[in-house]
Amino acid sequence: MRARLLRLARLLRWLRPRKRGDRPAPPEPPTATDMLRSQLERHAAQGSLVKLERDMLGSILDLDEVPVGDVMVHRRKMEMLDADLPPAEIVAQVMDSSHTRVPVWQGEPENVIGVLHAKTLLRELHALHFEIAELELKPLLQPPWFVPETTTLREQLNAFRQRRAHFALVVDEYGAILGLVTLEDILEEIVGDIRDEHDRPKRVYRRQTDGSVLVDGTATIRQLNRQFDWHLPDDHATTIAGLVLHEAQAIPEAGQVFVFHDFRFEVLRRQRNQITVLKLAPLRSED
């Protein structure tokens, strides 16, 4: 009787509908991007690719994975114009800016009403025989273009090409402005820093003789990983200061030291609630 019950139990188990979790799903075949990345790593390990070539090709493969929020100019660093300023002040600010396109707001910075191109302003001034007092700003503005922060770099690059535009404002899910992204920002993600004679120098890291690196808190993790062949994670933070805040689960004081991800992080300077300068030192050589 016991044997018959055991056989019946086995039969019932066999007839029971199987759930998806009962049997492991077969592994997905590698994508073309995965295969290209594997070949890239193999050639880099063999020394047949120099670092610049490896970084450029790797960045092209990453375009589908990196959102514009990771490369945008943060709102805190954006140059913007108040539409209600006197014409002379508007002209002075545009002339002092290192950018050719400047967002224009009215009433409050969140209310961006357009984008002013420096060449458009110059043409209008020439037409007015440089009578600055007669300048009307609003007719010169281009409509603002807002894109979600989750847009990938490949999507944004294609959108720039289709619209023949070079400039977009990045917003979050509630429509709040987070920053701006330009065509140059995406190209720099591929080929590295691009500067012209009007760009102001920006150094976000400085190597020290002891092997450590002084880093601006706004430096992106991707930028540092590419520059120094590090492997710091960028899943939960975009900037190096954001990574420290995520790991520390608090706003550290200047002088505090943390160790994680095989690095020593020392907070050198803090301004209000923002970490502005850190000192990073690898605890062991990276493979």
Side-chain angles (χ1 to χ4, degrees), residues 147-195:
V147 299
E149 62 177 322
T150 54
T151 306
T152 67
L153 295 189
R154 184 180 298 279
E155 291 170 338
Q156 189 59 42
L157 180 60
N158 290 334
F160 277 143
R161 294 175 61 189
Q162 292 171 2
R163 294 182 58 139
R164 298 184 180 180
H166 293 185
F167 182 103
L169 293 164
V170 182
V171 297
D172 64 13
E173 59 183 319
Y174 302 104
I177 296 175
L178 300 178
L180 64 86
V181 63
T182 66
L183 178 60
E184 184 176 318
D185 292 328
I186 300 179
L187 295 179
E188 284 188 336
E189 186 64 19
I190 299 173
V191 302
D193 194 19
I194 302 173
R195 297 185 188 178

mmCIF file of all heavy atoms in Angstrom, residues 147-195:
data_model
loop_
_atom_site.group_PDB
_atom_site.id
_atom_site.type_symbol
_atom_site.label_atom_id
_atom_site.label_comp_id
_atom_site.label_asym_id
_atom_site.label_seq_id
_atom_site.Cartn_x
_atom_site.Cartn_y
_atom_site.Cartn_z
ATOM 1 N N VAL A 147 14.174 67.417 -22.910
ATOM 2 C CA VAL A 147 14.299 65.967 -23.094
ATOM 3 C C VAL A 147 14.371 65.306 -21.716
ATOM 4 O O VAL A 147 14.918 65.877 -20.764
ATOM 5 C CB VAL A 147 15.549 65.600 -23.920
ATOM 6 C CG1 VAL A 147 15.472 66.209 -25.308
ATOM 7 C CG2 VAL A 147 16.832 66.034 -23.213
ATOM 8 N N PRO A 148 13.843 64.086 -21.560
ATOM 9 C CA PRO A 148 13.900 63.396 -20.265
ATOM 10 C C PRO A 148 15.326 62.990 -19.916
ATOM 11 O O PRO A 148 16.135 62.682 -20.802
ATOM 12 C CB PRO A 148 13.012 62.159 -20.481
ATOM 13 C CG PRO A 148 12.248 62.420 -21.733
ATOM 14 C CD PRO A 148 13.067 63.338 -22.561
ATOM 15 N N GLU A 149 15.617 62.965 -18.629
ATOM 16 C CA GLU A 149 16.959 62.602 -18.178
ATOM 17 C C GLU A 149 17.306 61.152 -18.494
ATOM 18 O O GLU A 149 18.480 60.775 -18.521
ATOM 19 C CB GLU A 149 17.087 62.823 -16.668
ATOM 20 C CG GLU A 149 16.138 61.980 -15.837
ATOM 21 C CD GLU A 149 16.339 62.169 -14.353
ATOM 22 O OE1 GLU A 149 17.497 62.302 -13.908
ATOM 23 O OE2 GLU A 149 15.325 62.177 -13.627
ATOM 24 N N THR A 150 16.299 60.319 -18.754
ATOM 25 C CA THR A 150 16.538 58.898 -19.044
ATOM 26 C C THR A 150 16.837 58.640 -20.516
ATOM 27 O O THR A 150 17.131 57.493 -20.885
ATOM 28 C CB THR A 150 15.309 58.069 -18.637
ATOM 29 O OG1 THR A 150 14.145 58.618 -19.266
ATOM 30 C CG2 THR A 150 15.118 58.101 -17.127
ATOM 31 N N THR A 151 16.772 59.653 -21.362
ATOM 32 C CA THR A 151 17.098 59.473 -22.777
ATOM 33 C C THR A 151 18.545 59.003 -22.909
ATOM 34 O O THR A 151 19.446 59.571 -22.303
ATOM 35 C CB THR A 151 16.925 60.801 -23.544
ATOM 36 O OG1 THR A 151 15.609 61.306 -23.317
ATOM 37 C CG2 THR A 151 17.155 60.617 -25.026
ATOM 38 N N THR A 152 18.779 57.971 -23.694
ATOM 39 C CA THR A 152 20.153 57.482 -23.860
ATOM 40 C C THR A 152 20.928 58.405 -24.789
ATOM 41 O O THR A 152 20.356 59.160 -25.580
ATOM 42 C CB THR A 152 20.175 56.053 -24.424
ATOM 43 O OG1 THR A 152 19.684 56.074 -25.775
ATOM 44 C CG2 THR A 152 19.328 55.113 -23.575
ATOM 45 N N LEU A 153 22.244 58.305 -24.724
ATOM 46 C CA LEU A 153 23.079 59.153 -25.573
ATOM 47 C C LEU A 153 22.862 58.849 -27.053
ATOM 48 O O LEU A 153 22.892 59.760 -27.884
ATOM 49 C CB LEU A 153 24.556 58.961 -25.209
ATOM 50 C CG LEU A 153 24.982 59.408 -23.813
ATOM 51 C CD1 LEU A 153 26.496 59.359 -23.684
ATOM 52 C CD2 LEU A 153 24.470 60.808 -23.493
ATOM 53 N N ARG A 154 22.637 57.574 -27.379
ATOM 54 C CA ARG A 154 22.388 57.250 -28.786
ATOM 55 C C ARG A 154 21.068 57.876 -29.254
ATOM 56 O O ARG A 154 20.990 58.439 -30.356
ATOM 57 C CB ARG A 154 22.357 55.737 -28.992
ATOM 58 C CG ARG A 154 22.204 55.345 -30.472
ATOM 59 C CD ARG A 154 22.184 53.837 -30.646
ATOM 60 N NE ARG A 154 23.409 53.220 -30.214
ATOM 61 C CZ ARG A 154 24.519 53.162 -30.950
ATOM 62 N NH1 ARG A 154 24.535 53.710 -32.155
ATOM 63 N NH2 ARG A 154 25.601 52.566 -30.481
ATOM 64 N N GLU A 155 20.028 57.794 -28.432
ATOM 65 C CA GLU A 155 18.752 58.400 -28.786
ATOM 66 C C GLU A 155 18.887 59.912 -28.955
ATOM 67 O O GLU A 155 18.337 60.501 -29.897
ATOM 68 C CB GLU A 155 17.705 58.090 -27.715
ATOM 69 C CG GLU A 155 17.287 56.628 -27.649
ATOM 70 C CD GLU A 155 16.439 56.313 -26.433
ATOM 71 O OE1 GLU A 155 16.509 57.080 -25.432
ATOM 72 O OE2 GLU A 155 15.736 55.294 -26.456
ATOM 73 N N GLN A 156 19.632 60.538 -28.044
ATOM 74 C CA GLN A 156 19.787 61.988 -28.117
ATOM 75 C C GLN A 156 20.642 62.402 -29.301
ATOM 76 O O GLN A 156 20.369 63.408 -29.962
ATOM 77 C CB GLN A 156 20.390 62.522 -26.816
ATOM 78 C CG GLN A 156 20.389 64.033 -26.709
ATOM 79 C CD GLN A 156 18.984 64.610 -26.803
ATOM 80 O OE1 GLN A 156 18.043 64.086 -26.225
ATOM 81 N NE2 GLN A 156 18.829 65.683 -27.583
ATOM 82 N N LEU A 157 21.669 61.618 -29.589
ATOM 83 C CA LEU A 157 22.511 61.908 -30.750
ATOM 84 C C LEU A 157 21.685 61.841 -32.035
ATOM 85 O O LEU A 157 21.781 62.722 -32.901
ATOM 86 C CB LEU A 157 23.669 60.916 -30.810
ATOM 87 C CG LEU A 157 24.651 61.084 -31.966
ATOM 88 C CD1 LEU A 157 25.304 62.459 -31.936
ATOM 89 C CD2 LEU A 157 25.722 59.992 -31.918
ATOM 90 N N ASN A 158 20.846 60.813 -32.168
ATOM 91 C CA ASN A 158 19.980 60.706 -33.342
ATOM 92 C C ASN A 158 18.976 61.857 -33.397
ATOM 93 O O ASN A 158 18.674 62.374 -34.477
ATOM 94 C CB ASN A 158 19.242 59.371 -33.323
ATOM 95 C CG ASN A 158 20.159 58.197 -33.582
ATOM 96 O OD1 ASN A 158 21.209 58.345 -34.225
ATOM 97 N ND2 ASN A 158 19.801 57.029 -33.084
ATOM 98 N N ALA A 159 18.466 62.255 -32.213
ATOM 99 C CA ALA A 159 17.509 63.367 -32.174
ATOM 100 C C ALA A 159 18.180 64.673 -32.588
ATOM 101 O O ALA A 159 17.578 65.486 -33.311
ATOM 102 C CB ALA A 159 16.917 63.490 -30.774
ATOM 103 N N PHE A 160 19.414 64.890 -32.153
ATOM 104 C CA PHE A 160 20.148 66.086 -32.575
ATOM 105 C C PHE A 160 20.297 66.103 -34.104
ATOM 106 O O PHE A 160 20.137 67.152 -34.746
ATOM 107 C CB PHE A 160 21.533 66.118 -31.927
ATOM 108 C CG PHE A 160 21.548 66.679 -30.529
ATOM 109 C CD1 PHE A 160 22.393 66.146 -29.559
ATOM 110 C CD2 PHE A 160 20.745 67.741 -30.167
ATOM 111 C CE1 PHE A 160 22.428 66.653 -28.279
ATOM 112 C CE2 PHE A 160 20.766 68.265 -28.876
ATOM 113 C CZ PHE A 160 21.611 67.714 -27.931
ATOM 114 N N ARG A 161 20.614 64.971 -34.678
ATOM 115 C CA ARG A 161 20.796 64.899 -36.130
ATOM 116 C C ARG A 161 19.482 65.159 -36.862
ATOM 117 O O ARG A 161 19.450 65.885 -37.858
ATOM 118 C CB ARG A 161 21.353 63.529 -36.512
ATOM 119 C CG ARG A 161 22.764 63.274 -35.994
ATOM 120 C CD ARG A 161 23.213 61.864 -36.303
ATOM 121 N NE ARG A 161 23.249 61.614 -37.736
ATOM 122 C CZ ARG A 161 23.444 60.407 -38.257
ATOM 123 N NH1 ARG A 161 23.599 59.355 -37.459
ATOM 124 N NH2 ARG A 161 23.473 60.247 -39.564
ATOM 125 N N GLN A 162 18.398 64.578 -36.363
ATOM 126 C CA GLN A 162 17.106 64.743 -37.033
ATOM 127 C C GLN A 162 16.599 66.174 -36.953
ATOM 128 O O GLN A 162 16.049 66.711 -37.916
ATOM 129 C CB GLN A 162 16.087 63.780 -36.434
ATOM 130 C CG GLN A 162 16.367 62.318 -36.732
ATOM 131 C CD GLN A 162 15.478 61.380 -35.945
ATOM 132 O OE1 GLN A 162 14.597 61.812 -35.185
ATOM 133 N NE2 GLN A 162 15.688 60.083 -36.098
ATOM 134 N N ARG A 163 16.781 66.798 -35.805
ATOM 135 C CA ARG A 163 16.282 68.167 -35.624
ATOM 136 C C ARG A 163 17.288 69.224 -36.062
ATOM 137 O O ARG A 163 16.991 70.415 -36.042
ATOM 138 C CB ARG A 163 15.924 68.407 -34.150
ATOM 139 C CG ARG A 163 14.753 67.569 -33.681
ATOM 140 C CD ARG A 163 14.393 67.877 -32.237
ATOM 141 N NE ARG A 163 14.054 69.278 -32.017
ATOM 142 C CZ ARG A 163 13.068 69.702 -31.245
ATOM 143 N NH1 ARG A 163 12.295 68.814 -30.623
ATOM 144 N NH2 ARG A 163 12.838 70.974 -31.070
ATOM 145 N N ARG A 164 18.502 68.768 -36.400
ATOM 146 C CA ARG A 164 19.592 69.691 -36.737
ATOM 147 C C ARG A 164 19.784 70.706 -35.618
ATOM 148 O O ARG A 164 19.913 71.921 -35.856
ATOM 149 C CB ARG A 164 19.314 70.384 -38.068
ATOM 150 C CG ARG A 164 19.228 69.420 -39.240
ATOM 151 C CD ARG A 164 19.040 70.144 -40.550
ATOM 152 N NE ARG A 164 18.963 69.205 -41.664
ATOM 153 C CZ ARG A 164 18.808 69.551 -42.932
ATOM 154 N NH1 ARG A 164 18.693 70.835 -43.244
ATOM 155 N NH2 ARG A 164 18.742 68.641 -43.874
ATOM 156 N N ALA A 165 19.779 70.195 -34.407
ATOM 157 C CA ALA A 165 19.940 71.028 -33.209
ATOM 158 C C ALA A 165 21.166 70.571 -32.445
ATOM 159 O O ALA A 165 21.678 69.458 -32.648
ATOM 160 C CB ALA A 165 18.700 70.930 -32.326
ATOM 161 N N HIS A 166 21.661 71.456 -31.589
ATOM 162 C CA HIS A 166 22.867 71.144 -30.820
ATOM 163 C C HIS A 166 22.665 71.275 -29.318
ATOM 164 O O HIS A 166 23.610 71.084 -28.569
ATOM 165 C CB HIS A 166 24.012 72.097 -31.221
ATOM 166 C CG HIS A 166 24.494 71.917 -32.616
ATOM 167 N ND1 HIS A 166 25.576 72.621 -33.121
ATOM 168 C CD2 HIS A 166 24.074 71.127 -33.619
ATOM 169 C CE1 HIS A 166 25.785 72.268 -34.373
ATOM 170 N NE2 HIS A 166 24.875 71.361 -34.698
ATOM 171 N N PHE A 167 21.450 71.587 -28.882
ATOM 172 C CA PHE A 167 21.253 72.036 -27.496
ATOM 173 C C PHE A 167 19.880 71.589 -27.003
ATOM 174 O O PHE A 167 18.882 71.754 -27.704
ATOM 175 C CB PHE A 167 21.358 73.562 -27.469
ATOM 176 C CG PHE A 167 21.226 74.207 -26.133
ATOM 177 C CD1 PHE A 167 22.351 74.667 -25.458
ATOM 178 C CD2 PHE A 167 19.985 74.378 -25.530
ATOM 179 C CE1 PHE A 167 22.225 75.286 -24.226
ATOM 180 C CE2 PHE A 167 19.859 74.984 -24.311
ATOM 181 C CZ PHE A 167 20.990 75.439 -23.645
ATOM 182 N N ALA A 168 19.831 70.983 -25.822
ATOM 183 C CA ALA A 168 18.546 70.578 -25.231
ATOM 184 C C ALA A 168 18.626 70.715 -23.718
ATOM 185 O O ALA A 168 19.696 70.541 -23.110
ATOM 186 C CB ALA A 168 18.196 69.136 -25.610
ATOM 187 N N LEU A 169 17.495 71.018 -23.099
ATOM 188 C CA LEU A 169 17.392 71.098 -21.647
ATOM 189 C C LEU A 169 16.907 69.754 -21.108
ATOM 190 O O LEU A 169 15.982 69.147 -21.671
ATOM 191 C CB LEU A 169 16.428 72.211 -21.241
ATOM 192 C CG LEU A 169 16.902 73.624 -21.575
ATOM 193 C CD1 LEU A 169 15.752 74.608 -21.495
ATOM 194 C CD2 LEU A 169 18.034 74.051 -20.650
ATOM 195 N N VAL A 170 17.526 69.288 -20.046
ATOM 196 C CA VAL A 170 17.216 67.982 -19.468
ATOM 197 C C VAL A 170 16.281 68.180 -18.279
ATOM 198 O O VAL A 170 16.546 69.009 -17.405
ATOM 199 C CB VAL A 170 18.508 67.263 -19.017
ATOM 200 C CG1 VAL A 170 18.183 65.881 -18.464
ATOM 201 C CG2 VAL A 170 19.484 67.152 -20.185
ATOM 202 N N VAL A 171 15.189 67.413 -18.253
ATOM 203 C CA VAL A 171 14.203 67.537 -17.179
ATOM 204 C C VAL A 171 13.968 66.183 -16.531
ATOM 205 O O VAL A 171 14.210 65.130 -17.128
ATOM 206 C CB VAL A 171 12.858 68.106 -17.708
ATOM 207 C CG1 VAL A 171 13.052 69.515 -18.249
ATOM 208 C CG2 VAL A 171 12.271 67.197 -18.783
ATOM 209 N N ASP A 172 13.467 66.219 -15.282
ATOM 210 C CA ASP A 172 13.130 64.972 -14.598
ATOM 211 C C ASP A 172 11.678 64.606 -14.894
ATOM 212 O O ASP A 172 11.011 65.242 -15.718
ATOM 213 C CB ASP A 172 13.394 65.071 -13.092
ATOM 214 C CG ASP A 172 12.503 66.112 -12.399
ATOM 215 O OD1 ASP A 172 11.519 66.585 -13.021
ATOM 216 O OD2 ASP A 172 12.774 66.443 -11.233
ATOM 217 N N GLU A 173 11.178 63.574 -14.208
ATOM 218 C CA GLU A 173 9.828 63.088 -14.490
ATOM 219 C C GLU A 173 8.738 64.106 -14.147
ATOM 220 O O GLU A 173 7.606 63.988 -14.615
ATOM 221 C CB GLU A 173 9.581 61.793 -13.719
ATOM 222 C CG GLU A 173 9.734 61.952 -12.210
ATOM 223 C CD GLU A 173 9.549 60.628 -11.483
ATOM 224 O OE1 GLU A 173 8.648 59.868 -11.857
ATOM 225 O OE2 GLU A 173 10.312 60.376 -10.535
ATOM 226 N N TYR A 174 9.081 65.103 -13.320
ATOM 227 C CA TYR A 174 8.106 66.126 -12.953
ATOM 228 C C TYR A 174 8.231 67.385 -13.811
ATOM 229 O O TYR A 174 7.523 68.368 -13.590
ATOM 230 C CB TYR A 174 8.251 66.496 -11.480
ATOM 231 C CG TYR A 174 8.097 65.317 -10.553
ATOM 232 C CD1 TYR A 174 9.205 64.736 -9.942
ATOM 233 C CD2 TYR A 174 6.843 64.749 -10.318
ATOM 234 C CE1 TYR A 174 9.067 63.633 -9.105
ATOM 235 C CE2 TYR A 174 6.696 63.655 -9.484
ATOM 236 C CZ TYR A 174 7.812 63.094 -8.878
ATOM 237 O OH TYR A 174 7.667 62.006 -8.055
ATOM 238 N N GLY A 175 9.159 67.379 -14.754
ATOM 239 C CA GLY A 175 9.350 68.529 -15.624
ATOM 240 C C GLY A 175 10.314 69.560 -15.083
ATOM 241 O O GLY A 175 10.505 70.603 -15.715
ATOM 242 N N ALA A 176 10.922 69.299 -13.932
ATOM 243 C CA ALA A 176 11.891 70.246 -13.369
ATOM 244 C C ALA A 176 13.200 70.168 -14.145
ATOM 245 O O ALA A 176 13.660 69.081 -14.506
ATOM 246 C CB ALA A 176 12.135 69.940 -11.898
ATOM 247 N N ILE A 177 13.807 71.319 -14.391
ATOM 248 C CA ILE A 177 15.047 71.379 -15.162
ATOM 249 C C ILE A 177 16.210 70.873 -14.310
ATOM 250 O O ILE A 177 16.449 71.352 -13.197
ATOM 251 C CB ILE A 177 15.311 72.811 -15.643
ATOM 252 C CG1 ILE A 177 14.219 73.247 -16.613
ATOM 253 C CG2 ILE A 177 16.677 72.918 -16.310
ATOM 254 C CD1 ILE A 177 14.321 74.687 -17.056
ATOM 255 N N LEU A 178 16.940 69.894 -14.846
ATOM 256 C CA LEU A 178 18.089 69.323 -14.157
ATOM 257 C C LEU A 178 19.414 69.845 -14.710
ATOM 258 O O LEU A 178 20.412 69.893 -14.002
ATOM 259 C CB LEU A 178 18.078 67.797 -14.283
ATOM 260 C CG LEU A 178 16.866 67.068 -13.708
ATOM 261 C CD1 LEU A 178 16.989 65.575 -13.970
ATOM 262 C CD2 LEU A 178 16.726 67.342 -12.216
ATOM 263 N N GLY A 179 19.403 70.229 -15.968
ATOM 264 C CA GLY A 179 20.636 70.677 -16.597
ATOM 265 C C GLY A 179 20.429 70.810 -18.088
ATOM 266 O O GLY A 179 19.309 70.922 -18.572
ATOM 267 N N LEU A 180 21.520 70.797 -18.821
ATOM 268 C CA LEU A 180 21.446 70.880 -20.275
ATOM 269 C C LEU A 180 22.458 69.932 -20.886
ATOM 270 O O LEU A 180 23.477 69.598 -20.280
ATOM 271 C CB LEU A 180 21.656 72.312 -20.762
ATOM 272 C CG LEU A 180 23.012 72.986 -20.505
ATOM 273 C CD1 LEU A 180 24.032 72.666 -21.588
ATOM 274 C CD2 LEU A 180 22.839 74.504 -20.403
ATOM 275 N N VAL A 181 22.168 69.499 -22.096
ATOM 276 C CA VAL A 181 23.071 68.622 -22.829
ATOM 277 C C VAL A 181 23.241 69.180 -24.231
ATOM 278 O O VAL A 181 22.285 69.694 -24.832
ATOM 279 C CB VAL A 181 22.537 67.169 -22.875
ATOM 280 C CG1 VAL A 181 21.213 67.077 -23.621
ATOM 281 C CG2 VAL A 181 23.563 66.227 -23.484
ATOM 282 N N THR A 182 24.453 69.111 -24.739
ATOM 283 C CA THR A 182 24.747 69.597 -26.082
ATOM 284 C C THR A 182 25.329 68.468 -26.920
ATOM 285 O O THR A 182 25.747 67.425 -26.402
ATOM 286 C CB THR A 182 25.758 70.758 -26.043
ATOM 287 O OG1 THR A 182 27.025 70.255 -25.572
ATOM 288 C CG2 THR A 182 25.275 71.871 -25.126
ATOM 289 N N LEU A 183 25.354 68.697 -28.226
ATOM 290 C CA LEU A 183 25.980 67.729 -29.125
ATOM 291 C C LEU A 183 27.443 67.536 -28.744
ATOM 292 O O LEU A 183 27.967 66.422 -28.782
ATOM 293 C CB LEU A 183 25.860 68.222 -30.565
ATOM 294 C CG LEU A 183 26.511 67.362 -31.641
ATOM 295 C CD1 LEU A 183 25.908 65.962 -31.664
ATOM 296 C CD2 LEU A 183 26.395 68.021 -33.006
ATOM 297 N N GLU A 184 28.095 68.610 -28.340
ATOM 298 C CA GLU A 184 29.504 68.511 -27.948
ATOM 299 C C GLU A 184 29.691 67.616 -26.730
ATOM 300 O O GLU A 184 30.671 66.875 -26.640
ATOM 301 C CB GLU A 184 30.058 69.916 -27.656
ATOM 302 C CG GLU A 184 31.544 69.923 -27.324
ATOM 303 C CD GLU A 184 32.092 71.320 -27.140
ATOM 304 O OE1 GLU A 184 31.720 72.205 -27.938
ATOM 305 O OE2 GLU A 184 32.889 71.526 -26.214
ATOM 306 N N ASP A 185 28.751 67.642 -25.787
ATOM 307 C CA ASP A 185 28.841 66.784 -24.605
ATOM 308 C C ASP A 185 28.864 65.310 -25.009
ATOM 309 O O ASP A 185 29.612 64.507 -24.433
ATOM 310 C CB ASP A 185 27.657 67.032 -23.665
ATOM 311 C CG ASP A 185 27.698 68.399 -23.013
ATOM 312 O OD1 ASP A 185 28.803 68.900 -22.774
ATOM 313 O OD2 ASP A 185 26.624 68.971 -22.768
ATOM 314 N N ILE A 186 28.033 64.950 -25.992
ATOM 315 C CA ILE A 186 27.981 63.553 -26.432
ATOM 316 C C ILE A 186 29.241 63.180 -27.196
ATOM 317 O O ILE A 186 29.806 62.089 -27.006
ATOM 318 C CB ILE A 186 26.725 63.308 -27.289
ATOM 319 C CG1 ILE A 186 25.466 63.609 -26.458
ATOM 320 C CG2 ILE A 186 26.691 61.880 -27.813
ATOM 321 C CD1 ILE A 186 24.175 63.432 -27.225
ATOM 322 N N LEU A 187 29.721 64.085 -28.058
ATOM 323 C CA LEU A 187 30.952 63.806 -28.792
ATOM 324 C C LEU A 187 32.135 63.673 -27.841
ATOM 325 O O LEU A 187 33.019 62.828 -28.039
ATOM 326 C CB LEU A 187 31.215 64.915 -29.817
ATOM 327 C CG LEU A 187 30.189 65.026 -30.944
ATOM 328 C CD1 LEU A 187 30.541 66.178 -31.884
ATOM 329 C CD2 LEU A 187 30.088 63.725 -31.722
ATOM 330 N N GLU A 188 32.171 64.494 -26.788
ATOM 331 C CA GLU A 188 33.248 64.398 -25.806
ATOM 332 C C GLU A 188 33.207 63.073 -25.053
ATOM 333 O O GLU A 188 34.248 62.572 -24.614
ATOM 334 C CB GLU A 188 33.173 65.564 -24.825
ATOM 335 C CG GLU A 188 33.666 66.881 -25.397
ATOM 336 C CD GLU A 188 33.746 67.965 -24.342
ATOM 337 O OE1 GLU A 188 33.022 67.853 -23.321
ATOM 338 O OE2 GLU A 188 34.513 68.921 -24.532
ATOM 339 N N GLU A 189 32.014 62.508 -24.895
ATOM 340 C CA GLU A 189 31.904 61.206 -24.247
ATOM 341 C C GLU A 189 32.582 60.131 -25.082
ATOM 342 O O GLU A 189 33.040 59.123 -24.549
ATOM 343 C CB GLU A 189 30.414 60.868 -24.037
ATOM 344 C CG GLU A 189 30.162 59.620 -23.241
ATOM 345 C CD GLU A 189 30.649 59.698 -21.803
ATOM 346 O OE1 GLU A 189 30.862 60.821 -21.293
ATOM 347 O OE2 GLU A 189 30.827 58.625 -21.201
ATOM 348 N N ILE A 190 32.686 60.369 -26.390
ATOM 349 C CA ILE A 190 33.323 59.398 -27.279
ATOM 350 C C ILE A 190 34.817 59.691 -27.452
ATOM 351 O O ILE A 190 35.656 58.804 -27.263
ATOM 352 C CB ILE A 190 32.636 59.404 -28.661
ATOM 353 C CG1 ILE A 190 31.162 59.013 -28.515
ATOM 354 C CG2 ILE A 190 33.339 58.459 -29.627
ATOM 355 C CD1 ILE A 190 30.362 59.158 -29.799
ATOM 356 N N VAL A 191 35.151 60.925 -27.787
ATOM 357 C CA VAL A 191 36.534 61.241 -28.172
ATOM 358 C C VAL A 191 37.335 61.906 -27.060
ATOM 359 O O VAL A 191 38.538 62.143 -27.215
ATOM 360 C CB VAL A 191 36.552 62.138 -29.427
ATOM 361 C CG1 VAL A 191 35.832 61.464 -30.572
ATOM 362 C CG2 VAL A 191 35.927 63.504 -29.137
ATOM 363 N N GLY A 192 36.694 62.230 -25.942
ATOM 364 C CA GLY A 192 37.398 62.925 -24.870
ATOM 365 C C GLY A 192 37.173 64.426 -24.947
ATOM 366 O O GLY A 192 36.393 64.926 -25.769
ATOM 367 N N ASP A 193 37.869 65.164 -24.099
ATOM 368 C CA ASP A 193 37.647 66.604 -23.957
ATOM 369 C C ASP A 193 37.931 67.342 -25.258
ATOM 370 O O ASP A 193 38.956 67.112 -25.908
ATOM 371 C CB ASP A 193 38.549 67.136 -22.839
ATOM 372 C CG ASP A 193 38.141 68.532 -22.404
ATOM 373 O OD1 ASP A 193 36.996 68.931 -22.680
ATOM 374 O OD2 ASP A 193 38.964 69.217 -21.774
ATOM 375 N N ILE A 194 37.002 68.220 -25.658
ATOM 376 C CA ILE A 194 37.155 69.069 -26.841
ATOM 377 C C ILE A 194 37.166 70.517 -26.375
ATOM 378 O O ILE A 194 36.227 70.969 -25.733
ATOM 379 C CB ILE A 194 35.998 68.858 -27.847
ATOM 380 C CG1 ILE A 194 35.923 67.398 -28.287
ATOM 381 C CG2 ILE A 194 36.181 69.771 -29.056
ATOM 382 C CD1 ILE A 194 34.699 67.098 -29.141
ATOM 383 N N ARG A 195 38.221 71.224 -26.711
ATOM 384 C CA ARG A 195 38.305 72.627 -26.297
ATOM 385 C C ARG A 195 38.642 73.494 -27.494
ATOM 386 O O ARG A 195 39.357 73.075 -28.397
ATOM 387 C CB ARG A 195 39.383 72.819 -25.227
ATOM 388 C CG ARG A 195 39.109 72.081 -23.930
ATOM 389 C CD ARG A 195 40.148 72.424 -22.898
ATOM 390 N NE ARG A 195 40.032 71.591 -21.706
ATOM 391 C CZ ARG A 195 40.842 71.658 -20.668
ATOM 392 N NH1 ARG A 195 41.845 72.524 -20.676
ATOM 393 N NH2 ARG A 195 40.674 70.877 -19.626
#
